[in-house]
Amino acid sequence: MELSCKSEYAILALLEMAIHYESGEPMQIRQIAAQQNIPDRYLEQLLATLRRGGIVKSQRGSKGGYLLAREPWKISILEILECLEGLDVRISEEDTNNLKSVDSSIVEEIWQEARQAANSVLQKHSLQDLCEKRDSRRQLDIMYYI
């Protein structure tokens, strides 16, 4: 499993929005793009997808921009990836019934186990968790420079 560039940029943008969540002020695309070094046009497309997925909401006007649709602790990393990548993590009955051999069924079982483990980790981490990890890591970096 590999994190796509699209997902990484989206998570970074959402992390930036989570950091500013308490202010209640929408963030403009150019503001997020500058902070996280993401191309503006690409970020615009990502935020549109996240808006359609109900993860962010947009606000029009001169003070407009994007906000998280919910609190950062209520948005899991798995939800973000499912929205962007269209991941369907559930195994269907048809897939299990149409396996051609014992060998392929064993491979499928191991793959499902790996996918469930990854999904479990991604489900238990929220944007809030990322903010907290970021803050603690920055505190450690500051201590090294003293």
Side-chain angles (χ1 to χ4, degrees):
M1 294 183 124
E2 194 173 312
L3 186 64
S4 70
C5 188
K6 172 171 65 170
S7 293
E8 183 177 358
Y9 280 162
I11 291 169
L12 289 173
L14 291 168
L15 176 60
E16 193 64 35
M17 295 168 72
I19 292 164
H20 295 94
Y21 178 77
E22 292 299 320
S23 73
E25 297 291 319
M27 294 189 74
Q28 295 181 346
I29 289 174
R30 61 182 153 77
Q31 204 180 0
I32 299 167
Q35 285 289 92
Q36 293 295 339
N37 199 24
I38 303 170
D40 291 29
R41 293 279 184 208
Y42 194 47
L43 181 57
E44 191 174 343
Q45 295 170 6
L46 292 175
L47 289 173
T49 301
L50 293 167
R51 185 181 52 76
R52 286 189 298 275
I55 294 173
V56 299
K57 58 185 178 181
S58 60
Q59 184 175 316
R60 294 180 181 259
S62 61
K63 299 248 184 201
Y66 287 87
L67 304 141
L68 294 178
R70 289 172 272 133
E71 294 88 351
W73 56 90
K74 291 184 178 178
I75 301 173
S76 74
I77 305 306
L78 180 62
E79 180 184 0
I80 297 164
L81 295 177
E82 286 175 338
C83 174
L84 291 166
E85 304 291 347
L87 301 176
D88 187 12
V89 296
R90 287 167 234 95
I91 185 167
S92 72
E93 293 285 324
E94 291 173 19
D95 290 345
T96 56
N97 292 335
N98 290 335
L99 294 173
K100 294 180 175 60
S101 70
V102 172
D103 295 348
S104 63
S105 69
I106 290 169
V107 170
E108 180 65 24
E109 286 172 18
I110 298 300
W111 182 247
Q112 285 302 319
E113 187 179 338
R115 207 179 322 177
Q116 288 170 352
N119 290 341
S120 175
V121 170
L122 294 170
Q123 181 62 45
K124 80 176 187 182
H125 289 287
S126 68
L127 283 176
Q128 184 67 36
D129 296 331
L130 293 183
C131 288
E132 290 168 4
K133 285 178 188 268
R134 176 183 182 255
D135 292 345
S136 67
R137 188 107 10 118
R138 284 193 171 173
Q139 288 289 28
L140 288 174
D141 287 347
I142 290 170
M143 290 175 66
Y144 290 127
Y145 296 115
I146 294 176

